[in-house]
Structure formats: structure tokens, C-alpha cells
Amino acid sequence: MHLDAKDAARAVEVQGVTLHLSQPTDPSQEWIGQREVLRQLQACWLVVAEEDLPLAPRIVGPPGIGKTTLAMAAARERGQELYIFQCTADTRPEDLLVTPVLSEGGKIAYHASPLVTAMLRGGVCVLDEGNRMSEKSWASLAPLLDHRRYVESIVAGITVGARDEFRCCVTMNEDASTYEVPDYILSRLQPTLEVEFPQREDELAILQYHLPFAPAEMLALTVDFLQEAHALDLDYSPRDGLHILQYALKRMAQDPKHPLGQDEAWRESLVKVLGDEALDLRGLARRRRQALGEELPPMDFGDYLFGGESPLNPGRDR
């Protein structure tokens, strides 16, 4: 197959098969606060002896807390190209490795995934939200994640080895929409690095970094809300705070002649982004504790006499 100079620069021949490479991702996002977990990730990727191999850690934490940003910052500090593969429930093994595409002239062109491109270029690959993938897709990565460090593409009929500089990590969310990763894969994704909710000063710095034009009063209002949510074990994240601020600022700027007040715009944005339940954080936290069985709901005489769900209980529908 003929390749022009630009295509040739992003193509590699492996065992007689031309692979068209993916484009790297811009890793310019700053990591703010929690330096220890960044150092832990960087330590995972060190090689301390000729016989040593880098680790492939999994980064866990609630959605929107900055797990991908952490990996991006670590890649930038190492000076390596960054590739991010977004994992989903529909991800197939060939999506993770090499995908055949019908090109001009009816010929098949093979496109390397961000993961395989990172292996061939000696870059860093982040498998983002890895626990949304099925076991079948994970199985194709088993030899890459141990001492063998290669993958086999069935569709292209080739085996691709990783360069020594290749590093990877997996981010995983803690929510009900994810799959359980099989144990033989979890044993290869070690250690587990946990990203926690930021402290007040760090949370304010994160919001200021992304929205430097936001008024100080609205930044403070958002940080107060998020810190109270964190204290109550509610999973509202800095990403939620950014969305609240962004929508509120747009609503205030919408009509310069009759602008909404800051408090009115912020409260409307809170409801539009997180729903009515976010107006009462303590009530929301109490209901969640009761749903998890950590706290009993309030009971009155009718509950003791008839039972909470009995139709004879006058307080059943409260």
C-alpha cells in the first residue's frame, strides 16, 4: 500500500503488516494537590534494575475527581507521549488492539489503537474507566500486563511487543454501572492507588485553574457546597462544581440589561446540574444512610403497633 510522507510518519510495519498509528493526547492538564498519589504513580513506572519491570497500577475513586488528570500529569512529568483509550461496555478485543478499516481501492488498512500505538512508540497509555469493559476484552491484555509485555492481534495476524519505555495504568470508577474485573486481571493491575476528594484549598485552586474568570464569591460558594458534600460522604465532585459554576456564569452573562443575581443564578444552576435533592445535603445524606441500612428511619407509635408498611399504619405514606 502506498503511503504519503505524512501517513508514513504515523505508520509502522510489524511482521509485514502496516499499522496506522493513533494520535497522542495533549497532556497539558495540571495536577493540583494530593502530591503523594502522584509520587506513588511515578514510583510504579520506575525500573530500578535491569531485571525489573514497570507496574501497571489501577487508579480508583469516585467519578469526576481527577483520576485521568493524575495520569496525564505523570506522563507529562516523564516527558512521554500520552495515549488515552476510553473503555466502554461495547469495547471489543480488536478495538483495544488493531482494527481493520476498508480504505480507498477496497483494501484493508489496519489501525493501531491508542494502546498499541503507545506500545510501539514507547509512550504512556491510560485505559480510562477500565472496569466498564467485559472480561473478553480484558483477556486480550493478560500477556501485556505481566512479564511477557506483548499482545496478539487476531484480525491482523501479528504479535506486537511493547518497547521498554512503554507504561500504562487503568482508571476505575466506583459506581453501580461498572463490571467486576476478573481476579487474574486484577492481580496484574497492582498496586491500587486511591484518589480522594480534595481539601478546601486544593478544591478552590482546581476551580480557579479551570475557571479563572469566575468571581471569588461564586468560587467560595461552590467550594463550601462541595466541602459540605464531602463531609457527608456524598459523591459530588470538583467536576460537578465546575459544571455548576459554568452554567451559572452563562446564565448571568445571558442578558446584560437584566442580569441574574449571583445567588439566584448559582441556585438555579445547582438544581439544573445536580437536581432538587442537592438543595438539602443533610437530608440527602440521611436518606442514603437509611437506604444502606446504616441508619433507621424515624419511627412513631404506628410503626411499632402495626409495622412500617402496614395499611393500618396511619403514618405509612409519610
Side-chain angles (χ1 to χ4, degrees), residues 29-310:
Q29 290 280 315
E30 289 288 338
W31 177 251
I32 298 171
Q34 299 189 58
R35 295 298 300 179
E36 185 59 22
V37 71
L38 178 59
R39 287 175 53 80
Q40 291 168 350
L41 177 55
Q42 291 169 328
C44 291
W45 288 344
L46 287 178
V47 174
V48 299
E50 188 174 339
E51 301 82 3
D52 190 27
L53 291 172
L55 295 168
R58 57 182 189 265
I59 304 171
V60 302
I65 204 169
K67 300 184 290 296
T68 309
T69 303
L70 170 68
M72 294 170 74
R76 185 181 67 253
E77 292 196 5
R78 288 179 58 86
Q80 291 181 260
E81 289 183 350
L82 172 68
Y83 297 86
I84 298 177
F85 186 96
Q86 184 63 50
C87 304
T88 72
D90 297 324
T91 298
R92 304 165 300 173
E94 56 265 39
D95 299 328
L96 272 172
L97 306 178
V98 177
T99 303
V101 177
L102 191 62
S103 62
E104 293 181 10
K107 294 184 177 179
I108 297 295
Y110 293 99
H111 287 245
S113 70
L115 172 65
V116 168
T117 301
M119 293 169 60
L120 291 168
R121 299 274 300 176
V124 171
C125 183
V126 180
L127 294 173
D128 204 17
E129 303 189 45
N131 51 346
R132 300 196 189 283
M133 284 198 305
S134 68
E135 180 175 356
K136 185 176 181 180
S137 295
W138 274 115
S140 65
L141 301 186
L144 175 65
L145 298 172
D146 60 25
H147 64 281
R148 292 170 288 178
R149 285 172 64 83
Y150 67 75
V151 293
E152 292 178 304
S153 169
I154 303 300
V155 295
I158 57 174
T159 298
V160 182
R163 289 180 54 172
D164 290 344
E165 300 88 349
F166 169 72
R167 302 289 186 273
C168 75
C169 64
V170 181
T171 70
M172 295 186 177
N173 280 334
E174 298 171 346
D175 62 60
S177 64
T178 56
Y179 290 102
E180 188 162 343
V181 178
D183 288 343
Y184 73 94
I185 293 296
L186 285 180
S187 68
R188 290 166 164 82
L189 298 175
Q190 295 291 354
T192 300
L193 307 182
E194 185 170 2
V195 180
E196 300 176 342
F197 286 116
Q199 300 294 317
R200 174 178 292 275
E201 294 77 12
D202 294 336
E203 193 140 53
L204 177 60
I206 291 168
L207 299 184
Q208 285 176 322
Y209 172 77
H210 290 281
L211 299 174
F213 48 88
E217 299 82 4
M218 297 191 73
L219 287 167
L221 191 62
T222 307
V223 171
D224 287 344
F225 169 81
L226 292 174
Q227 288 292 311
E228 182 179 0
H230 304 335
L232 292 168
D233 287 334
L234 297 172
D235 286 342
Y236 293 139
S237 66
R239 182 192 294 161
D240 294 322
L242 288 171
H243 289 156
I244 293 168
L245 277 170
Q246 282 180 298
Y247 182 68
L249 294 172
K250 293 177 191 299
R251 288 286 283 140
M252 291 167 59
Q254 192 172 32
D255 186 354
K257 293 183 179 178
H258 304 90
L260 289 177
Q262 289 187 0
D263 289 347
E264 183 182 0
W266 190 89
R267 182 183 173 89
E268 176 190 321
S269 185
L270 178 68
V271 172
K272 296 298 183 187
V273 173
L274 299 179
D276 290 332
E277 63 181 13
L279 292 170
D280 178 13
L281 289 179
R282 293 185 181 280
L284 176 60
R286 184 174 61 252
R287 290 192 295 276
R288 291 194 175 182
R289 289 195 300 271
Q290 290 170 355
L292 293 170
E294 297 173 356
E295 179 179 319
L296 292 174
M299 301 181 73
D300 59 18
F301 184 72
D303 296 318
Y304 289 107
L305 188 62
F306 301 107
E309 296 302 320
S310 170

Side-chain angles (χ1 to χ4, degrees), residues 3-15:
L3 299 173
D4 61 28
K6 183 178 179 182
D7 289 338
R10 296 300 303 176
V12 172
E13 186 169 307
V14 178
Q15 297 163 12

